[in-house]
Amino acid sequence: MSRTSRLATAAAVGAAALLALTACTGGGESDSADDAAGVAPVTEGVLTIATGEPAYAPWVLNDDPESGEGFEAAVAYAVAEEMGYAAEDVVWVRTTFDSAIAPGPKDFDLNIQQFSATEDRAQAVDFSSPYYVTSQAVVAAGGTPAAEATSIADLKDAVLGVASGTTSLTVAEEVIAPDQDLQVFNSVDDAVAALQNGTIDALVTDLPGAFFVRDAQLDDGVIVGQLDSAEGGDEFAFVLPKGSSLTADVTAAVDALRENGTLADLETEWLADQGAPVLQ
């Protein structure tokens, strides 16, 4: 019960209850102050950042976030620096994806592993402003003509697959406008199977999914490139404990890095230049 509610109850039940309330007012005010301050950092003077176990490229290279190599590792250190933390004051821990967004106490100050900010998840955790908006990408099997494409024009004759009801379908139609009808599948997995058996030449999906298809589902997959459209992209944001005292500071840092071009530079360095160029 809040302090305001307690005062209202005390007024209703009479002077005796009011006196009892007065006797414990100090504790009530302290609780309110703690609530206003928010959930404190795990360790004073240290920024504890979590990522997945394991963490995959291109988000974290070689499962080593301490190196600062990989898009999300680099973003994390840039945010820490913007907040006034030296690199040596950053400590990394590991969590599963699901535990990070579940209700309850956390052993991290912020967590970065491709979390899309949603209203449902925001009931249990805090989100920063987004550090990345996903784009659509084209992934092909190695050794095919589609894998050798270097422009949108090179993909016009390709047989392209997409999952039904996705942004990928809309973007593929509008940006590539292939000469052949798009092959529409019930799911991304079905489209990947079609890519594996040669039914389609290439698959259009979101960039995080394209990296997964290339690295985990194809033996010789190639990301042909990204499509220049942010339509319907998911917004990736840092996750923080619900009510964290650091949420506003992390958001301010992310916003500053977006405005000064740092996030765009890191996206180019670790996503575009590491195998996902933007197709023109």
Side-chain angles (χ1 to χ4, degrees), residues 190-206:
D190 287 345
V192 171
L195 183 60
Q196 291 170 326
N197 64 32
T199 301
I200 59 175
D201 299 323
L203 165 66
V204 180
T205 188
D206 63 85

Side-chain angles (χ1 to χ4, degrees), residues 2-41:
S2 68
R3 184 169 183 267
T4 301
S5 298
R6 289 175 179 170
L7 288 173
T9 302
V13 299
L18 182 58
L19 288 173
L21 175 67
T22 303
C24 65
T25 295
E29 290 178 343
S30 176
D31 290 344
S32 297
D34 289 343
D35 290 343
V39 176

Side-chain angles (χ1 to χ4, degrees), residues 14-107:
L18 182 58
L19 288 173
L21 175 67
T22 303
C24 65
T25 295
E29 290 178 343
S30 176
D31 290 344
S32 297
D34 289 343
D35 290 343
V39 176
V42 173
T43 303
E44 186 67 28
V46 171
L47 191 63
T48 303
I49 306 178
T51 191
E53 178 66 272
Y56 294 101
W59 314 105
V60 176
L61 298 195
N62 302 313
D63 193 25
D64 181 16
E66 289 86 356
S67 70
E69 296 186 338
F71 178 63
E72 290 190 332
V75 168
Y77 276 110
V79 166
E81 182 178 3
E82 187 70 25
M83 294 172 65
Y85 290 91
E88 57 266 26
D89 295 327
V90 173
V91 172
W92 288 90
V93 297
R94 304 299 185 110
T95 70
T96 65
F97 188 97
D98 290 340
S99 67
I101 55 177
K106 309 298 181 187
D107 65 352

Side-chain angles (χ1 to χ4, degrees), residues 92-166:
W92 288 90
V93 297
R94 304 299 185 110
T95 70
T96 65
F97 188 97
D98 290 340
S99 67
I101 55 177
K106 309 298 181 187
D107 65 352
F108 57 79
D109 298 321
L110 50 155
N111 198 317
I112 183 168
Q113 47 178 313
Q114 305 110 66
F115 294 106
S116 297
T118 67
E119 291 184 5
D120 286 346
R121 291 173 178 175
Q123 302 302 309
V125 295
D126 283 356
F127 286 99
S128 69
S129 58
Y131 59 85
Y132 175 65
V133 179
T134 60
S135 62
Q136 298 297 311
V138 180
V139 59
T144 62
E148 303 300 321
T150 59
S151 69
I152 290 173
D154 292 339
L155 293 168
K156 291 287 187 181
D157 294 333
V159 179
L160 303 178
V162 295
S164 64
T166 62

